[in-house]
């Protein structure tokens, strides 16, 4: 009886063991299959629904294959102001000449000193807060600056999707197309473009791999790398992926000028990319943007040197790219994609900053507020100094000989450019606080030297 009971127990134990083993095996198999599926899903970041070729500039077509990125791209229509940047939506009455029903606030109305700084230049007539990528083309088409002076087609390079246009104009040769746009009047060039910056300007259509499509940047970064001792640099072959996450933005967010009668878009980096190195380059080639209406100085207008100033800051030295802060990664299921809602990191501190900084949103916001507040105070002091020099030159301009004014005018040229370099850059000093403070301090010094040169007149 007892032996029979023992045999029955053994049988039950064996059956239970088999059942448990089978259950565990099935569970582990299911888990492994799930892991493999997730990994494959993560690798497969898109599904080819539409056949996207290297001539498709419509972002909506790209959105069929890359819906998450396109959804973010469309959000660049928003207008949100931070303390020192961003834009607020101001209603306006549309007209036949300008159909916009909403514009950004005028910087000239916010700070009338800018009119003195740029007197005689188109920017003294209309200069508004920059809006998101969605508005980059329409805002340039209808700015009042277009009425002040005939703008060259060169302007269209960084305000529209131009990669396909350049290829068409050059019969497949990007370089020839680039040169063709440069030599056109703006009103002609705009008829060749349709969209603001689009997917094809930064990505390979089949793989979504990053690429540089602006010949001006290819030439500029080659000159800068040669300055650093690396000749014949090819950005699309030699840049790392992390470098490309900055370079695709730096195609346009840079200082530039229009070289020669052909108005060739040129990035002045052959002597370095710091503000005073660029100023030395302009002095050497004898470039001026215009003659200042009040003082007669051969003046320069800095554009938007985000790449140059970012390069002098702690984030660049730490290997942090533009996309890390302005297009931080986001997740959708197992997929990780860059947020194409390009905006100020202050509007997305959790993902833009706290991925690296072990802090709180309030603490990060306060840190930025201190940096930008200090920058704004220094910017005001430097602007007062430059405007004071301009007014002093104006007082003696009609009585002094031109050679007696040349030194003061040269100091104004230098001071104004360095101030503008820090003023025009879209981070309010955050990208490189110490470098921005250094060049504004030099702007104050040049202004005082200019005023001293006028004392005996």
């Amino acid at each position: 009886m007892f032996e029979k009971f023992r045999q029955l127990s053994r049988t039950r134990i064996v059956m239970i063991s088999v059942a448990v083993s089978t259950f565990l095996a099935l569970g582990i198999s299911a888990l492994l299959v799930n892991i493999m599926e997730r990994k494959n899903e993560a690798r497969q970041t898109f599904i080819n629904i539409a056949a996207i070729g290297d001539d498709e500039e419509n972002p909506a077509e790209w959105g069929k294959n890359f819906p998450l990125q396109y959804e973010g791209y469309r959000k660049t229509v928003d207008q949100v102001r931070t303390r020192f940047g961003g834009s607020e939506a101001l209603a306006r009455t549309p007209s036949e000449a300008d159909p916009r029903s909403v514009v950004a606030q005028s910087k000239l109305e916010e700070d009338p000193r800018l009119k003195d700084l740029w007197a005689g230049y188109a920017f003294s007539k209309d200069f508004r807060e920059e809006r998101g990528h969605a508005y980059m083309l329409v805002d340039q088409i209808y700015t009042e600056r277009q009425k002040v002076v005939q703008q060259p087609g060169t302007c269209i390079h960084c305000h529209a999707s131009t990669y396909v246009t350049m290829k068409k104009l050059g019969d497949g040769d990007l370089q020839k197309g680039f040169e063709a746009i440069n030599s056109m009047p703006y009103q002609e060039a705009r008829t060749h473009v349709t969209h603001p910056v689009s997917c094809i300007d930064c990505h390979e259509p089949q793989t979504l791999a990053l690429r540089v499509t602006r010949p001006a940047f290819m030439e500029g970064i080659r000159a800068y790398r040669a300055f650093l001792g690396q000749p014949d640099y090819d950005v699309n072959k030699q840049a790392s992926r992390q470098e490309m996450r900055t370079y695709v933005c730096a195609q346009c967010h840079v200082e530039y000028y229009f070289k020669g009668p052909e108005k060739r878009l040129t990035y002045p980096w052959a002597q370095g990319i710091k503000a005073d190195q660029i100023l030395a380059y302009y002095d050497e080639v004898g470039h001026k943007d215009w003659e200042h209406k009040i003082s007669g100085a051969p003046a320069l207008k800095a554009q938007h040197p985000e790449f140059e100033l970012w390069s002098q800051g702690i984030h660049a030295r730490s290997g942090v790219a533009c996309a890390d802060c302005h297009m931080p990664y986001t997740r959708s299921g197992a997929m990780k994609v860059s947020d194409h809602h390009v905006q100020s990191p202050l509007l997305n501190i959790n993902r833009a900053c706290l991925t690296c900084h072990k802090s709180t949103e309030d603490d990060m916001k306060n840190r930025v507020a201190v940096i930008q507040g200090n920058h704004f105070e220094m910017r005001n002091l430097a602007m007062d100094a430059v405007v004071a020099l301009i007014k002093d030159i104006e007082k003696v301009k009609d009585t002094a000989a031109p050679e007696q004014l040349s030194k003061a005018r040269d100091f104004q040229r230098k001071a104004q450019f360095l101030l503008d370099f820090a003023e025009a850059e879209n981070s309010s000093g955050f990208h490189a606080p110490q470098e921005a403070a250094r060049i504004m301090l030099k702007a104050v010094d040049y202004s005082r030297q200019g005023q001293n040169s006028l004392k005996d007149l």
Side-chain angles (χ1 to χ4, degrees), residues 267-320:
Y267 299 170
W269 298 342
Q271 296 185 27
I273 60 174
K274 296 178 74 171
D276 21 24
Q277 291 172 323
I278 292 173
L279 179 58
Y281 170 90
Y282 283 145
D283 286 343
E284 183 176 303
V285 301
H287 172 71
K288 67 175 181 181
D289 286 314
W290 87 105
E291 184 173 298
H292 198 276
K293 185 177 180 180
I294 298 174
S295 70
L300 297 165
K301 166 75 177 73
Q303 304 306 322
H304 31 73
E306 282 82 54
F307 171 65
E308 291 92 336
L309 267 174
W310 164 86
S311 298
Q312 311 307 316
I314 183 64
H315 287 91
R317 290 194 295 274
S318 304
V320 178

Side-chain angles (χ1 to χ4, degrees), residues 2 46 56 69 86 110 123 172 200 261 292 299 315 322 366 387 396:
F2 180 72
F46 61 93
E56 182 53 76
Q69 291 87 345
E110 289 178 344
F123 277 82
I200 201 165
H292 198 276
H315 287 91
C322 304
N366 290 335
V387 171
V396 299

Side-chain angles (χ1 to χ4, degrees), residues 17 25 27 87 98 118 177 263 265 275 290 334 351 361 384 386 454:
S17 298
S87 57
D98 183 352
W118 301 326
K263 303 296 183 185
L265 180 61
W290 87 105
R351 283 194 284 114
E361 287 198 24
D384 282 343
V386 177
L454 298 172

Side-chain angles (χ1 to χ4, degrees), residues 201-202 210-212 243-252:
D201 295 291
C202 302
L210 292 171
R211 64 175 177 182
V212 167
E243 286 174 328
M244 290 297 275
R245 298 181 76 236
T246 288
Y247 289 165
V248 293
C249 307
Q251 294 185 90
C252 294

Side-chain angles (χ1 to χ4, degrees), residues 158-399:
C158 287
H159 284 267
S161 179
T162 56
Y163 173 66
V164 174
T165 298
M166 287 189 288
K167 284 204 308 175
K168 288 179 178 175
L169 290 172
D171 290 328
D173 187 324
L174 193 67
Q175 193 71 25
K176 286 183 179 177
F178 163 67
E179 291 164 359
I181 287 185
N182 288 335
S183 61
M184 291 180 186
Y186 180 84
Q187 298 303 333
E188 179 184 351
R190 60 169 280 196
T191 64
H192 292 278
V193 299
T194 305
H195 302 279
V197 66
S198 182
C199 318
I200 201 165
D201 295 291
C202 302
H203 293 285
E204 294 278 357
Q206 296 304 316
T207 64
L208 215 58
L210 292 171
R211 64 175 177 182
V212 167
T213 59
R214 298 296 196 273
F217 182 82
M218 298 174 195
E219 294 175 357
I221 198 71
R222 187 181 303 125
Y224 177 50
R225 290 288 186 145
F227 169 76
L228 296 177
Q230 187 180 10
D232 303 322
Y233 182 77
D234 186 328
V235 63
N236 280 319
K237 294 179 180 176
Q238 294 176 261
S240 69
R241 184 176 183 279
Q242 185 65 358
E243 286 174 328
M244 290 297 275
R245 298 181 76 236
T246 288
Y247 289 165
V248 293
C249 307
Q251 294 185 90
C252 294
H253 288 267
V254 292
E255 165 63 6
Y256 59 82
Y257 77 111
F258 303 153
K259 184 178 181 180
E262 70 275 23
K263 303 296 183 185
R264 186 184 189 85
L265 180 61
T266 304
Y267 299 170
W269 298 342
Q271 296 185 27
I273 60 174
K274 296 178 74 171
D276 21 24
Q277 291 172 323
I278 292 173
L279 179 58
Y281 170 90
Y282 283 145
D283 286 343
E284 183 176 303
V285 301
H287 172 71
K288 67 175 181 181
D289 286 314
W290 87 105
E291 184 173 298
H292 198 276
K293 185 177 180 180
I294 298 174
S295 70
L300 297 165
K301 166 75 177 73
Q303 304 306 322
H304 31 73
E306 282 82 54
F307 171 65
E308 291 92 336
L309 267 174
W310 164 86
S311 298
Q312 311 307 316
I314 183 64
H315 287 91
R317 290 194 295 274
S318 304
V320 178
C322 304
D324 288 317
C325 304
H326 294 277
M327 304 173 67
Y329 284 119
T330 184
R331 283 195 175 276
S332 177
M335 288 197 295
K336 187 175 76 169
V337 297
S338 292
D339 186 351
H340 282 60
H341 183 195
V342 182
Q343 60 181 342
S344 166
L346 285 173
L347 302 172
N348 192 13
I349 289 176
N350 186 41
R351 283 194 284 114
C353 308
L354 301 188
T355 302
C356 299
H357 294 275
K358 304 307 175 189
S359 186
T360 65
E361 287 198 24
D362 284 342
D363 180 53
M364 295 307 303
K365 195 175 292 185
N366 290 335
R367 285 197 216 178
V368 176
V370 169
I371 291 171
Q372 293 187 328
N374 290 342
H375 176 85
F376 190 68
E377 185 176 351
M378 287 185 283
R379 169 258 197 198
N380 282 336
L381 293 172
M383 193 175 294
D384 282 343
V386 177
V387 171
L389 171 59
I390 292 171
K391 298 296 185 183
D392 281 0
I393 296 175
E394 182 183 25
K395 291 175 185 174
V396 299
K397 188 177 68 171
D398 293 334
T399 56

Side-chain angles (χ1 to χ4, degrees), residues 38-94:
R38 293 295 181 187
K39 284 187 174 181
N40 287 332
E41 187 181 346
R43 291 192 194 101
Q44 184 72 20
T45 57
F46 61 93
I47 300 172
N48 274 319
I49 295 175
I52 304 296
D54 202 39
D55 57 353
E56 182 53 76
E57 60 184 358
N58 185 352
E61 288 299 308
W62 286 66
K64 294 175 181 176
N65 291 348
F66 311 107
L68 297 175
Q69 291 87 345
Y70 181 57
E71 182 182 349
Y73 170 87
R74 295 182 65 190
K75 291 179 181 175
T76 61
V77 296
D78 68 351
Q79 287 190 249
V80 182
R81 187 171 189 171
T82 59
R83 183 182 177 192
F84 294 112
S87 57
E88 56 187 295
L90 302 180
R92 72 175 297 278
T93 303

